[in-house]
Amino acid sequence: MSSSDSTETASAKPSMRDALVAAAFQLFLERGYEQTTVDDIVALAGVGRRSFFRYFPSKEDVVFPDHERCLADMTAFLAASDAAHEPVRRVCDAARLVLLMYAENPSFSVQRYRLTKQVPGLRAYELSVVWRYERALAEYLRGRFAGRRDGNLRADVIAAAVVAAHNNALRSWLRSDGQGDASAAVDHALGYVQSAFGAPPAAPAEEHPEDVVVVVSRRGAPLWRVVQEIETTLGRD
Amino acid sequence: MSSSDSTETASAKPSMRDALVAAAFQLFLERGYEQTTVDDIVALAGVGRRSFFRYFPSKEDVVFPDHERCLADMTAFLAASDAAHEPVRRVCDAARLVLLMYAENPSFSVQRYRLTKQVPGLRAYELSVVWRYERALAEYLRGRFAGRRDGNLRADVIAAAVVAAHNNALRSWLRSDGQGDASAAVDHALGYVQSAFGAPPAAPAEEHPEDVVVVVSRRGAPLWRVVQEIETTLGRD
């Protein structure tokens, strides 16, 4: 086999996978998702059915080709944490891996967003993927909060808040056709969650153990505004 | 038609519906969910297929027979709100409607919990229901936070946190076979969310407009502990 005739070698596998995704999306946009069969996709991509199923367990999976990799990356990222990582910050950083996946290919992400909104089956698939991300974050936090009062409760609530904040920013970016700085929007959204639940960005307790923070607030002020004030104060050096 | 022969009257409809749910669960537990057909269910209940589909669009729906009513109740409850309702407290109260539905029939809820854990299709169905509850809460909060900075972000995050807290307590109760006080557990879980995001329980701003709250905290203290302290102070008269 010559080096140019390498479509069956392991190193060329990603491009067959990419060709299947491209063919699938071309047909989904032309004919609609429901009207496109796996046979249509493999015919357009010029490969056999077995090749399709080697990469994708089902037609839904070709719509979200990178979530399994991203879930694995997130799990590995969290597993590589140690006690020095502030837990809420760590799950926010883990959530940013999902954004990176979407931002890698904005036009594909926007196409998929529109498709998912139209097809109930894909919406259900997406919910199950989002649930798996949320559980990965929650499991990590449960480990970090183990033995603390309400540890599991706090883990579940913070994981849900992180996912909701991330998705709020991600969806705004997708609705705007991938214009603007998705990363800045997600940072801002995750900052809100950190202000509600996170520890101070620095860990100055040991350097200045006797430091106190005094916050004076009108009794009627909304709690979130008080929290923002504290967060700002704690974060300032 | 005598009063005892009233199975076909409108007032008796709920009992045919209940009979279908009971027959379905008897078969799901005996044979498994996937192995039970709608034909099996209607045969055991002694009614025709059309009766089944009059109440339930699909086999999944018979597993969750009360969510549509509960979603409608929640939407009506939120629609009946006015500006005097503190928004975070209001969505917590709305979430309690879901708990009430589960607590109405603990043994049925526990059976369903076990079934849902075993059947991926039911898990997906449940995720879609949870998503609809979360959106109902988020839409209400978006309305209440309209025009405020980050209003939509805050609405989405708080709705997700409320749902996660509710479900954390609900699942603990279901895992314990419906033992213990589900309502107290949910109150405690929602209290955590209110402490992170909510306004003070009372609204004393107008009565004591010049009141100030002073919180002194070590710089190294976790933010959530500071928040709890503030919440306690604000809530105390």
Side-chain angles (χ1 to χ4, degrees), chain A residues 59-197:
Chain A
K59 194 172 78 168
E60 277 98 347
D61 293 284
V62 77
V63 180
F64 304 96
D66 300 316
H67 276 305
E68 290 299 333
R69 170 180 62 78
C70 190
L71 272 158
D73 288 352
M74 180 185 279
T75 305
F77 176 82
L78 292 171
S81 310
D82 59 43
H85 291 107
E86 195 282 307
V88 179
R89 174 168 298 264
R90 190 68 174 169
V91 291
C92 287
D93 288 343
R96 287 188 180 89
L97 297 174
V98 182
L99 178 75
L100 286 179
M101 177 190 64
Y102 279 82
E104 267 171 21
N105 193 339
S107 65
F108 176 70
S109 296
V110 169
Q111 278 180 354
R112 174 170 61 191
Y113 173 69
R114 292 186 191 142
L115 188 66
T116 303
K117 276 175 67 168
Q118 289 161 13
V119 181
L122 294 181
R123 186 79 199 108
Y125 185 100
E126 190 174 53
L127 285 177
S128 74
V129 171
V130 171
W131 175 250
R132 290 170 67 197
Y133 285 119
E134 189 172 317
R135 292 326 298 163
L137 302 181
E139 287 306 319
Y140 166 73
L141 289 174
R142 281 172 172 234
R144 291 299 305 273
F145 296 160
R148 294 199 211 170
R149 194 169 61 90
D150 289 332
N152 285 355
L153 169 64
R154 292 170 56 213
D156 288 1
V157 168
I158 293 171
V162 166
V163 167
H166 172 275
N167 286 349
N168 174 283
L170 173 62
R171 279 194 300 265
S172 294
W173 179 71
L174 292 170
R175 268 197 306 275
S176 73
D177 294 340
Q179 303 297 309
D181 186 343
S183 184
V186 165
D187 286 349
H188 176 74
L190 294 173
Y192 171 61
V193 174
Q194 284 188 272
S195 75
F197 295 110

Side-chain angles (χ1 to χ4, degrees), chain A residues 123 131 149-150 154 156 168 188 192 195 197-198 211-213 215 217 219 223-224 228 230 234 236, chain B residues 123 131 149-150 154 156 168 188 192 195 197-198 211-213 215 217 219 223-224 228 230 234 236:
Chain A
R123 186 79 199 108
W131 175 250
R149 194 169 61 90
D150 289 332
R154 292 170 56 213
D156 288 1
N168 174 283
H188 176 74
Y192 171 61
S195 75
F197 295 110
D211 256 19
V212 295
V213 174
V215 174
S217 169
R219 182 177 280 269
L223 189 61
W224 64 270
Q228 274 186 338
I230 298 168
L234 289 170
R236 197 185 296 147
Chain B
R123 186 79 199 109
W131 174 249
R149 193 169 63 89
D150 289 332
R154 291 170 55 215
D156 288 1
N168 175 282
H188 176 74
Y192 171 62
S195 75
F197 295 110
D211 257 19
V212 296
V213 174
V215 175
S217 169
R219 182 176 281 266
L223 190 60
W224 64 270
Q228 273 186 339
I230 298 168
L234 289 170
R236 196 183 299 148

Side-chain angles (χ1 to χ4, degrees), chain A residues 40-56:
Chain A
D40 298 333
I41 297 167
V42 297
L44 182 61
V47 302
R49 275 180 73 87
R50 282 187 57 185
S51 297
F52 182 92
F53 290 109
R54 194 190 310 159
Y55 297 111
F56 307 108

Side-chain angles (χ1 to χ4, degrees), chain B residues 4-233:
Chain B
S4 65
D5 183 16
S6 62
T7 50
E8 293 305 305
T9 65
S11 65
K13 276 184 182 173
S15 69
M16 188 194 284
R17 191 173 183 281
D18 292 347
L20 283 163
V21 173
F25 268 81
Q26 184 182 325
L27 293 168
F28 294 160
L29 296 173
E30 282 172 14
R31 307 181 185 180
Y33 175 79
E34 303 290 3
Q35 288 72 42
T36 302
T37 66
V38 170
D39 285 331
D40 298 333
I41 297 167
V42 297
L44 183 61
V47 301
R49 275 179 72 86
R50 282 187 56 185
S51 298
F52 182 92
F53 289 109
R54 195 192 308 159
Y55 298 111
F56 307 109
S58 71
K59 194 173 78 170
E60 278 97 346
D61 293 284
V62 77
V63 180
F64 304 96
D66 301 316
H67 276 305
E68 290 299 333
R69 169 180 64 77
C70 190
L71 272 159
D73 288 352
M74 179 185 279
T75 306
F77 176 82
L78 292 171
S81 309
D82 59 42
H85 291 106
E86 195 283 307
V88 179
R89 174 168 296 266
R90 190 69 173 169
V91 290
C92 287
D93 289 342
R96 288 188 180 91
L97 297 174
V98 181
L99 178 75
L100 286 179
M101 177 189 67
Y102 279 82
E104 267 171 21
N105 193 338
S107 65
F108 176 71
S109 296
V110 169
Q111 278 181 352
R112 174 170 61 191
Y113 174 70
R114 292 188 192 141
L115 188 65
T116 303
K117 276 175 67 169
Q118 289 160 13
V119 182
L122 295 180
R123 186 79 199 109
Y125 185 100
E126 188 173 55
L127 285 178
S128 75
V129 171
V130 170
W131 174 249
R132 291 170 67 197
Y133 285 119
E134 188 172 319
R135 293 325 298 163
L137 301 181
E139 286 306 319
Y140 166 74
L141 289 174
R142 281 172 172 235
R144 292 297 306 273
F145 296 160
R148 294 199 210 169
R149 193 169 63 89
D150 289 332
N152 284 355
L153 169 64
R154 291 170 55 215
D156 288 1
V157 169
I158 293 170
V162 166
V163 167
H166 173 277
N167 287 350
N168 175 282
L170 173 63
R171 279 194 299 264
S172 294
W173 178 72
L174 292 170
R175 267 197 306 274
S176 74
D177 294 339
Q179 302 298 310
D181 187 343
S183 185
V186 165
D187 286 350
H188 176 74
L190 294 173
Y192 171 62
V193 175
Q194 284 188 274
S195 75
F197 295 110
E206 285 167 33
E207 293 165 40
H208 315 282
E210 299 312 319
D211 257 19
V212 296
V213 174
V214 178
V215 175
V216 179
S217 169
R218 276 215 330 283
R219 182 176 281 266
L223 190 60
W224 64 270
R225 204 165 279 163
V226 180
V227 169
Q228 273 186 339
E229 201 174 334
I230 298 168
E231 172 72 3
T232 308
T233 310

